[in-house]
Every structure is written in C-alpha cells, then in structure tokens.
Amino acid sequence: MPEPIKSPFPGMDPYLERHWRDVHTRLTAYSSDALLGQLPEDLLARMEERVYVESQGVITRFIMPDVKIVEDPSAFSMSSAETDGGIAVAGIAVAEPIVLQLESEPVNEPYIVIMDIDGNRIITVIEFLSPSNKIEGEGRESYLKKYRELLAGNVSIVEIDLVRSGEWVSVPRRYQMPAKYRTTYRVCVRRNTRPDKVELYPITLRQKLPAVRIPLRPGDADVSLDLQPILDQAYRNGRYDRIDYAKPCDPALADDDAGWVQQTVAAGRSSAQGG
C-alpha cells in the first residue's frame, strides 16, 4: 500500500497560503462535516458564504450573499462590426462574440454557522481567516463590522487564523499580547457567555495544529474541532504533494523560520526516498 500523501511539516504548511482559496474552502467543508456528528440533535452546522469583489488583486468592496451582481451596460461598448455577421475559422463560419471588459471578480468565502434546527437562531460562527480579512482596507473593515454585529447578537465566534499575510484582526490585537504568545498562527474564541474574555490558542509554525473547543449554547457541552487531521485531509485531497518546495515561500518567512523550513523539506524528501 502506498504511503499516504502528507505534508513535510508537522502542522500548518506555509506553502499552502499560495493556494488559500482552495485550501480555505476545503478546511471549511471538512470542519463542518467533523462538527455535525458531535452536535445535539436540535443544532445544525451549515456552510454560509460571504461574497466580496476583487479588482486587480485588491479588494474594492464587500457584498453580502443576497446582493445580485448584474451586468453593467456602461462597462463595455460594442460596434456594429462586433455584433453583426461573423468570421470564418478553419473554413467554418462562426459567430462573432461580444467582448466584455470585466471590472472586478466576485470571490466566495465560506464560513461555518451553527444554528438551531429551524434556522431561527445562530449559536456560533466559525471562520477560517483569509488574507482579505487581515489586510487594511474596506474588506477588513466590513469583516470587523460583521464581527461586532455577531457579538451584539450574542453569538459565539471562533476565528482560526492559519495565514501569515496581514495583521491580527479582532481581539486580542497583537500589541495587547505578551511576546511569548505572538505566534505565527492562532485560534481565538469569544464565548457569548463571556464576551469580555478571549480564549487564545497560540500556534507556532513548528507545532502540530491543536484540537480546539467550540462553544455552543449555555448548558451545552463544548464540541471539539481537531484541526490537524482536517488540514491533512485538505492537503491529501488537494494533491498538494505536487507543490514545488524549492520555490521561495510566499509570503516570505523570517530568517530563522526559513532555515527550519528548508531543513524540514529536505528531511521530508530524504524520508520519501527511504534514505
């Protein structure tokens, strides 16, 4: 039996950030599946979507899922030569298309909502952060606004931050933290029963991802979300063993981490070759 596909890193693979849109979707879906079997019978875990718009790689505005993106007639022009008749390709008459200039690209960003079975009350929101949530701009401000609305609505919030791009988003902010807890990655939990406190799971680049406690309603026992097997599943199903680890990591690593990453990749290659 062949060896299972596995990242050379014990925890988060920093090279996955380059492929974050796919990884993010997989982590969200697999986490939702992992939670479903643990929930009380009258609670559900559902994937919801936030939609924002990117223009030339920069987030320009934020759109909630109930807003439709429609064609703007002013975004392009067409002449009679472009719309009438056709052209011949390899001897076959084909229609001439209308060419539209795309001004922006909508991006779907899933997250997990735990709610009652009727969908009337949101209990907990679980979010795998993306660079769009962490980089200064309207996208980050919109995320923080939604965060504050959830707190005001007495909803528990779990932020799972496995990307190095950008800054700490909500609380605790980086400058509020003792230096030993300012790790590369982190999970922050705000319980609706203790809105003045934050549960922090600091995660270094060199450690296995933890299993974290997910709060539900007062009186319900916490459920657990074991992040490492979920990340391993995303790596395996996404066939990320094809990553070229000889290329520089993006974003760039600090010097001490860069040396450790090179050693870890080399050791993984040696193990794979049986030497």
Side-chain angles (χ1 to χ4, degrees):
M1 180 178 296
E3 288 292 322
I5 297 170
K6 197 172 185 308
S7 166
F9 298 97
M12 181 57 191
D13 186 325
Y15 283 83
L16 291 179
E17 193 163 339
R18 186 190 296 267
H19 311 280
W20 191 247
R21 284 174 64 177
D22 176 70
V23 175
H24 181 276
T25 301
R26 292 179 186 276
L27 292 176
T28 305
Y30 302 158
S31 295
S32 180
D33 290 345
L35 290 168
L36 272 172
Q38 304 179 60
L39 295 177
E41 288 296 319
D42 58 342
L43 293 184
L44 300 170
R46 290 285 186 265
M47 285 178 57
E48 303 287 345
E49 282 192 338
R50 183 184 299 107
V51 181
Y52 60 88
V53 172
E54 284 187 344
S55 180
Q56 296 181 347
V58 178
I59 299 163
T60 56
R61 59 192 175 99
F62 187 93
I63 301 176
M64 293 306 293
D66 58 350
V67 175
K68 302 295 184 183
I69 300 175
V70 298
E71 177 184 303
D72 180 1
S74 66
F76 62 91
S77 62
M78 54 185 177
S79 67
S80 58
E82 293 173 316
T83 56
D84 297 334
I87 58 174
V89 177
I92 301 173
V94 296
E96 180 71 9
I98 298 171
V99 179
L100 308 179
Q101 177 65 45
L102 299 180
E103 297 295 334
S104 55
E105 178 188 1
V107 179
N108 297 325
E109 205 168 64
Y111 57 96
I112 300 169
V113 174
I114 296 176
M115 63 181 74
D116 65 24
I117 200 163
D118 296 321
N120 295 324
R121 181 187 171 198
I122 297 176
I123 310 298
T124 305
V125 169
I126 305 168
E127 185 100 35
F128 285 89
L129 296 185
S130 292
S132 60
N133 307 134
K134 299 178 64 182
I135 295 172
E136 289 288 351
E138 189 174 346
R140 172 169 160 160
E141 291 307 311
S142 297
Y143 173 80
L144 291 175
K145 179 176 181 291
K146 186 66 176 179
Y147 185 98
R148 291 189 291 267
E149 290 172 353
L150 291 172
L151 286 180
N154 204 31
V155 175
S156 295
I157 306 170
V158 180
E159 288 182 330
I160 304 170
D161 186 358
L162 299 178
V163 294
R164 293 176 295 114
S165 300
E167 296 296 329
W168 288 42
V169 180
S170 56
V171 287
R173 297 289 184 114
R174 187 177 179 86
Y175 61 80
Q176 296 173 317
M177 295 300 304
K180 65 179 179 179
Y181 298 134
R182 297 177 190 173
T183 51
T184 307
Y185 309 113
R186 67 206 60 85
V187 177
C188 293
V189 179
R190 289 282 292 266
R191 294 176 181 265
N192 58 16
T193 55
R194 295 189 296 178
D196 60 329
K197 298 185 184 297
V198 175
E199 298 172 10
L200 173 69
Y201 297 82
I203 306 169
T204 69
L205 177 62
R206 310 183 190 198
Q207 75 179 87
K208 178 181 176 181
L209 298 184
V212 299
R213 295 168 60 181
I214 306 298
L216 303 176
R217 299 164 297 195
D220 287 332
D222 291 347
V223 294
S224 65
L225 183 60
D226 195 349
L227 295 173
Q228 191 61 56
I230 290 169
L231 180 70
D232 292 344
Q233 183 181 5
Y235 188 94
R236 182 171 60 252
N237 291 354
R239 292 306 305 264
Y240 286 112
D241 56 320
R242 301 177 185 183
I243 287 175
D244 184 357
Y245 287 106
K247 293 182 177 179
C249 199
D250 182 20
L253 294 155
D255 290 344
D256 55 341
D257 284 337
W260 177 82
V261 163
Q262 290 176 359
Q263 293 173 7
T264 302
V265 169
R269 288 199 192 102
S270 176
S271 175
Q273 294 169 0

